[in-house]
Amino acid sequence: MSLKTLSSVPVDPSQQSGLHRFSSWLVLAYWGFFLIIHVFTDCFLDLHTFTDCGKLALFSGLAVLPLALYTLVLIVPHLEWPWYGNVFISLALLGFYILSAYFTVKKLDLLWSIATRPAIEQQWPILRVEQVFARRGGFIHTRVMLRINQKPVELETSRSSYFLLKNRSLIAGKISISALNEYIVRDLNVSASERWQARRAYAQDWFQRYWWLGVLIVLYLIWQWIKSRLFPKTA
C-alpha cells in the first residue's frame, strides 16, 4: 500500500476524540498525583535533607516531556499571542513540568522510604531554626540545623514547623536514610496540641503578612456590586 493510499484512509472521529479524552485525563491525573504527593509529604514527614541531583532532574524531565508537549498543543493555539509570547509560555510550561516531575520523584523517595526503611530513635541538639524566603514566593519553608552523629546537618521542614521548633534546643524522634541517600526525621516527640499551636501561629503570621489580599478582595466585590447597581449593562 502506497503512502498516498495510507494518507487517504479516513480516520474515525470517535477514535480521535477518545484519544484526546485519554490524554486530557492523563494530564489531570498527573497534576492530581503531584498535589497528593506534596500533601502527603507535609502530613507524614517532619524533617528531611534535600540534595540536588542533575541526572535525576534530566530523567524526570524526559519522562514527563510527552505530557508537557501535549499540554502545549492544547494551550498555545488558543492564546493568540505574538510569537515571542508563545515561546515564553512554552519554555515556562516545560520548565514547570520538569521541576514538578523532579520534586515529585524526590518526595516519592521520601514517602517510600518512610514506609519501607528501618528507623532509629535518637535525640538531637537543635543548632539553628530559620525561615527561608523566596524573592516573590514569600516564606516557602523552614531550615533546621541538627547535630546528627556529631556533625551539623541542614534539613528542611514545613513552614508551620518553624513555630514548633524555634524555641527548642533539643528534639527526639526517629531517623532513617532514603533510597536517594537523604536523611528522614519523623515521629518527633511533640504532642498534637503543640502541633496545632504551631499551625495556628503560622496562620496568624500569614494573615499579618497578607492581610492586604483580603482588603483587595473586599474592594473588588464592593466595586462589582456598585457597578451592577449604578452602571447596569444596557441592551
Side-chain angles (χ1 to χ4, degrees):
M1 184 179 290
S2 65
L3 291 176
K4 184 176 180 180
T5 305
L6 283 172
S7 62
S8 63
V9 175
V11 179
D12 187 353
S14 63
Q15 291 180 349
Q16 286 185 325
S17 61
L19 181 61
H20 175 74
R21 284 196 300 271
F22 174 77
S23 302
S24 300
W25 278 109
L26 198 60
V27 171
L28 290 175
Y30 170 78
W31 287 110
F33 183 69
F34 169 80
L35 290 174
I36 289 171
I37 290 301
H38 284 259
V39 169
F40 273 38
T41 304
D42 284 341
C43 291
F44 296 109
L45 187 64
D46 283 311
L47 301 103
H48 64 89
T49 55
F50 188 93
T51 307
D52 282 315
C53 179
K55 289 183 179 179
L56 182 63
L58 175 62
F59 290 134
S60 302
L62 290 175
V64 81
L65 187 59
L67 285 180
L69 294 176
Y70 176 73
T71 306
L72 288 175
V73 170
L74 287 178
I75 292 177
V76 171
H78 301 286
L79 293 179
E80 298 182 355
W81 288 0
W83 67 268
Y84 50 85
N86 290 336
V87 170
F88 173 78
I89 194 65
S90 299
L91 293 175
L93 191 61
L94 285 171
F96 195 55
Y97 261 97
I98 292 171
L99 287 175
S100 68
Y102 173 61
F103 283 106
T104 299
V105 171
K106 292 285 287 186
K107 295 201 171 186
L108 267 175
D109 165 63
L110 299 174
L111 291 173
W112 178 254
S113 299
I114 287 176
T116 60
R117 297 208 163 213
I120 301 172
E121 290 191 13
Q122 287 185 351
Q123 185 172 270
W124 313 278
I126 299 177
L127 305 180
R128 187 171 68 250
V129 180
E130 58 188 12
Q131 296 171 310
V132 178
F133 290 88
R135 182 171 295 179
R136 297 188 179 183
F139 178 22
I140 56 173
H141 64 260
T142 303
R143 183 186 295 125
V144 180
M145 186 78 75
L146 299 181
R147 187 178 298 281
I148 300 175
N149 298 329
Q150 304 305 315
K151 66 176 182 179
V153 177
E154 188 177 280
L155 302 103
E156 290 184 10
T157 185
S158 65
R159 287 165 288 189
S160 62
S161 292
Y162 171 79
F163 302 94
L164 182 68
L165 301 175
K166 67 174 184 175
N167 295 322
R168 293 175 178 267
S169 58
L170 201 67
I171 194 71
K174 294 181 180 179
I175 188 168
S176 57
I177 298 178
S178 76
L180 294 178
N181 206 34
E182 304 286 4
Y183 282 110
I184 303 172
V185 175
R186 62 185 189 272
D187 297 337
L188 296 179
N189 64 336
V190 293
S191 65
S193 63
E194 289 175 305
R195 289 184 185 274
W196 279 111
Q197 288 173 6
R199 294 186 185 111
R200 197 157 45 242
Y202 168 68
Q204 292 173 351
D205 179 75
W206 190 93
F207 282 114
Q208 288 175 357
R209 293 178 188 277
Y210 299 106
W211 60 268
W212 51 272
L213 285 175
V215 174
L216 288 179
I217 292 172
V218 171
L219 291 176
Y220 174 77
L221 294 175
I222 292 174
W223 165 244
Q224 291 296 323
W225 182 83
I226 292 174
K227 189 169 67 169
S228 65
R229 292 283 182 170
L230 301 182
F231 308 104
K233 293 182 179 179
T234 57

